[in-house]
């Protein structure tokens, strides 16, 4: 029965083959088959989760040469990701059937969509290093075909080219990490590696493996300065942007979570993850606020959220990082698929009366109220028994609650807005602690507990809280000085992503992509 999860990717590969056999316009059979198989994958994922609850985690393997056979690892982490990927995959497949109706290569698109989903599922279910690395690479190659769905567009070529370069570097890092793990632990079975790492075995080689895995995760999850490709994949159909959140752009986070026991053997590597992830989170969040286009703004938001996910892994909050993957994936996939109506929805909003701009006194009250709310709700959920890292993460998240409250505490804010923000603040705080408790309970025994922080970890925790606090205060008060010349100049620089993407273009020759003759005639 533990081979049951294999039914989902196998069915999707059959649907992919049907799409490749009928690559043209409105291939009725392959479209219907793809949607049916994607829906069946959700049922299989739910069944696998029920099997896990009944019988516990296990690994099923068909060993091949040097252990390079098919291997399925079913535990709380893989079951959660499998259910997430299958659900988002079904939504995207169903959505793309109408979205791409009439496209000349609709069948081929559906084929590559199903193939990508199948590769992601084999990645999250991997029980040995060979399958993990192979599915990681195969997912990237299948995605590359989707990024080039409109190959005549020069901007699409440039984005795909940058993604290809980053992906190959990420592949090399993961291959290096896998080789080091196999050499250190004398096995390619992931469960055996994790058990040995939890016991503290192979400290030296494990640090090198952890460093390689961290590099692979940083590159895969669009961390600064390798983030540029994600902001340019808007040239692909919208379903691809949603598909990225089905275990693709967040695959780096899953990789770190899967090898959490190994990562804990390298505190220095975790510190780097905190710094890179924290900076990317702040950078992506600030740039997002300056983007005029809906999808581009969402892309920058994803960069920032992936940075926050990486930072959580660096703080050794692996259950919370997995919770973040699930919550962000569901929200952001919906946001991309609904982006077409976002402009009309915003335009329909009527803003009667003066704009409520919070002044320093209102911002101060908002932060004090948010802090008090955090302490009160936290004590109700066993605040005093949580790790310092988890408390720090909650403090960072409560800064977002303070920003919401600041809008309601503004002098010109109507009473209805004040009441609404208060309700939102309470609901957000209670929801955070409740979901945190559920995720830690669900992953207990599967993921390691957060270790007691040392001096380096304490310094990083303080740096993270201070950095996010300064940005939260500045964001709350930005309307007061938005029209200052210095603010206008900062907005221009931020809207261009501090030109990091342009520098990366120069390095990889991204601007050397030539338009095809067909594209040149079309533009003419």
């Amino acid at each position: 029965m533990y081979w049951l999860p294999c039914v989902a990717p196998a069915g999707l590969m059959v649907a992919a083959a049907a799409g490749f056999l009928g690559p043209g316009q409105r291939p009725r059979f392959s479209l219907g088959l793809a949607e049916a198989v994607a829906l069946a994958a959700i049922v299989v994922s739910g069944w696998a989760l029920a099997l896990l609850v009944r019988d516990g985690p296990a690994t099923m393997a068909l060993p091949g040469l040097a252990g390079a056979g098919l291997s399925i690892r079913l535990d709380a982490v893989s079951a959660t990701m499998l259910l997430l990927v299958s659900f988002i995959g079904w939504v995207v497949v169903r959505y793309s059937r109408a979205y791409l109706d009439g496209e000349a290569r609709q069948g081929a698109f559906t084929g590559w969509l199903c193939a990508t989903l199948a590769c992601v599922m084999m990645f999250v279910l991997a029980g040995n290093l060979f399958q993990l690395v192979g599915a990681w690479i195969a997912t990237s190659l299948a995605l590359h075909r989707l990024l080039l769905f409109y190959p005549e567009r020069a901007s699409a070529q440039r984005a795909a080219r940058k993604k290809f370069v980053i992906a190959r570097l990420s592949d090399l890092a993961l291959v290096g990490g896998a080789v080091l793990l196999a050499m250190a632990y004398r096995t390619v079975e992931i469960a055996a590696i994790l058990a040995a790492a939890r016991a503290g075995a192979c400290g030296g080689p494990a640090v090198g493996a952890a460093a390689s895995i961290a590099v692979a995760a940083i590159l895969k999850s669009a961390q600064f300065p390798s983030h540029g490709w994600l902001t340019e994949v808007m040239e692909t159909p919208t379903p691809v942007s949603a598909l990225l959140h089905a275990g693709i752009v967040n695959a780096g986070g899953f990789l770190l979570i899967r090898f959490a026991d190994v990562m804990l053997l390298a505190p220095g590597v975790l510190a780097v993850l905190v710094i890179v992830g924290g900076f990317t989170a702040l950078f992506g969040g600030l740039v997002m606020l300056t983007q005029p286009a809906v999808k581009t703004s969402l892309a920058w938001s994803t960069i920032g959220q992936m940075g926050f996910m990486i930072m959580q892994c660096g703080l050794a909050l692996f259950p919370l990082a997995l919770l973040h993957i699930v919550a962000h994936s569901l929200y952001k996939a919906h946001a991309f698929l609904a982006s077409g109506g976002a402009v009309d929805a915003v335009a329909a909003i009527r803003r009667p009366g003066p704009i409520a701009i919070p002044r320093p006194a209102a911002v101060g009250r908002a932060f004090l109220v948010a802090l008090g709310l955090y302490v009160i709700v936290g004590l109700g959920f066993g605040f005093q028994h949580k790790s310092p890292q988890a408390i720090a993460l909650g403090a960072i998240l409560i800064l977002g609650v303070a920003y919401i409250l600041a809008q309601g505490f503004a002098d010109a804010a109507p009473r209805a807005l004040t009441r609404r923000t208060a309700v939102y603040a309470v609901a957000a705080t209670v929801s955070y602690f409740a979901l945190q408790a559920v995720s830690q309970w669900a992953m207990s025994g599967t993921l390691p507990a957060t270790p007691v922080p040392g001096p380096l970890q304490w310094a990083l925790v303080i740096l993270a809280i201070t950095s996010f606090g300064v940005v939260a205060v500045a964001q709350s008060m930005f309307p007061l000085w938005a029209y200052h010349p210095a603010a206008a100049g900062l907005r221009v620089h931020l809207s261009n992503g501090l030109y990091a993407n342009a520098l990366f273009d120069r390095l990889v020759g991204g601007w050397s992509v030539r338009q095809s003759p067909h594209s040149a005639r079309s533009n003419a």
Side-chain angles (χ1 to χ4, degrees):
M1 291 297 294
Y2 275 91
W3 287 108
L4 175 67
C6 289
V7 173
L12 286 168
M13 288 306 296
V14 172
F20 298 146
L21 292 175
Q25 189 180 47
R26 295 191 178 95
R28 296 185 180 276
F29 173 73
S30 61
L31 295 181
L33 177 63
E35 186 174 340
V37 169
L39 181 59
I42 300 178
V43 177
V44 170
S45 301
W47 193 357
L49 179 60
L51 180 65
L52 172 66
V53 172
R54 189 190 71 180
D55 297 335
T59 300
M60 299 295 292
L62 290 176
L65 182 62
L70 181 66
S71 181
I72 299 299
R73 175 64 182 171
L74 186 62
D75 59 11
V77 175
S78 61
T80 299
M81 287 297 296
L82 181 65
L83 194 58
L84 174 69
V85 172
S86 59
F87 177 73
I88 294 180
W90 170 68
V91 172
V92 171
V93 168
R94 181 175 175 82
Y95 181 94
S96 62
R97 184 174 183 177
Y99 184 89
L100 290 167
D101 185 54
E103 287 279 356
R105 298 174 55 244
Q106 185 178 7
F109 179 89
T110 303
W112 286 115
L113 182 63
C114 291
T116 304
L117 285 169
C119 294
V120 174
M121 289 180 181
M122 293 305 294
F123 169 67
V124 301
L125 289 170
N128 63 47
L129 297 176
F130 287 106
Q131 182 176 325
L132 183 86
V133 174
W136 173 282
I137 297 174
T139 299
S140 177
L141 295 177
L143 177 66
H144 187 75
R145 303 301 304 175
L146 292 173
L147 297 181
L148 286 174
F149 183 69
Y150 297 117
E152 69 279 1
R153 298 181 180 179
S155 52
Q157 297 176 37
R158 182 167 60 248
R161 179 176 181 178
K162 283 196 286 189
K163 175 62 174 67
F164 189 84
V165 172
I166 292 297
R168 300 293 75 77
L169 293 175
S170 179
D171 295 345
L172 288 174
L174 183 57
V175 169
V179 170
L180 288 173
L181 286 175
M183 292 174 60
Y185 295 102
R186 304 297 180 185
T187 180
V188 296
E189 291 298 322
I190 293 176
I193 292 173
L194 297 180
R198 187 167 296 191
C202 300
V207 172
S212 296
I213 290 171
V215 171
I218 287 172
L219 293 173
K220 192 74 167 184
S221 294
Q223 299 298 282
F224 183 90
S226 62
H227 61 279
W229 66 270
L230 187 57
T231 65
E232 297 183 3
V233 297
M234 302 303 105
E235 290 295 331
T236 64
T238 296
V240 179
S241 301
L243 178 70
L244 289 174
H245 298 84
I248 299 177
V249 72
N250 43 29
F254 172 80
L255 184 68
L256 294 171
I257 294 168
R258 171 51 79 203
F259 291 101
D261 294 286
V262 177
M263 301 306 299
L264 289 181
L265 298 176
V269 175
L270 293 179
V272 172
L273 291 176
V274 173
I275 295 172
V276 173
F279 178 81
T280 303
L282 293 172
F283 172 69
L286 290 173
V287 175
M288 175 199 70
L289 299 175
T290 66
Q291 301 303 306
V294 174
K295 289 178 65 176
T296 305
S297 178
L298 290 174
W300 278 105
S301 173
T302 293
I303 291 172
Q305 293 291 335
M306 292 300 99
F308 200 78
M309 172 195 68
I310 294 294
M311 186 183 74
Q312 287 174 304
C313 292
L315 291 172
L317 298 170
F318 297 105
L320 301 187
L322 183 61
L323 172 64
H324 187 272
I325 289 178
V326 174
H328 174 258
S329 297
L330 294 174
Y331 156 71
K332 194 55 67 66
H334 171 268
F336 270 110
L337 296 180
S339 61
V343 176
D344 294 335
V346 172
I349 297 176
R350 296 184 178 181
R351 303 180 184 275
I355 298 176
I357 297 178
R359 297 189 177 277
V363 173
R365 289 197 303 271
F367 276 81
L368 288 176
V369 170
L371 179 60
L373 180 64
Y374 178 53
V375 173
I376 293 172
V377 177
L379 288 173
F381 279 90
F383 187 77
Q384 63 275 20
H385 302 300
K386 297 185 180 298
S387 67
Q389 295 94 320
I391 294 174
L393 183 68
I396 292 172
L397 292 175
I398 211 66
L399 295 172
V401 173
Y403 174 75
I404 295 175
L405 286 172
Q407 315 308 308
F409 288 174
D411 296 335
R415 291 184 179 275
L417 177 61
T418 303
R419 289 194 299 268
R420 192 180 305 124
T421 54
V423 172
Y424 290 164
V426 174
T429 307
V430 173
S431 299
Y432 166 72
F433 277 106
L435 291 173
Q436 183 187 84
V438 171
S439 64
Q440 290 178 330
W441 168 79
M443 297 299 152
S444 61
T446 301
L447 294 176
T450 303
V452 177
L456 176 60
Q457 286 72 34
W458 274 113
L460 292 172
V461 164
I462 294 172
L463 176 63
I465 295 176
T466 303
S467 301
F468 280 88
V470 169
V471 171
V473 172
Q475 183 179 352
S476 299
M477 300 183 63
F478 181 79
L480 291 175
W481 46 276
Y483 297 101
H484 190 278
L490 179 61
R491 181 186 290 273
V492 171
H493 297 316
L494 285 175
S495 65
N496 288 282
L498 302 182
Y499 313 101
N501 193 28
L503 294 175
F504 190 80
D505 278 325
R506 293 290 184 89
L507 291 176
V508 301
W511 294 108
S512 66
V513 176
R514 297 289 188 267
Q515 288 182 313
S516 65
H518 172 75
S519 177
R521 287 194 299 270
S522 298
N523 292 336

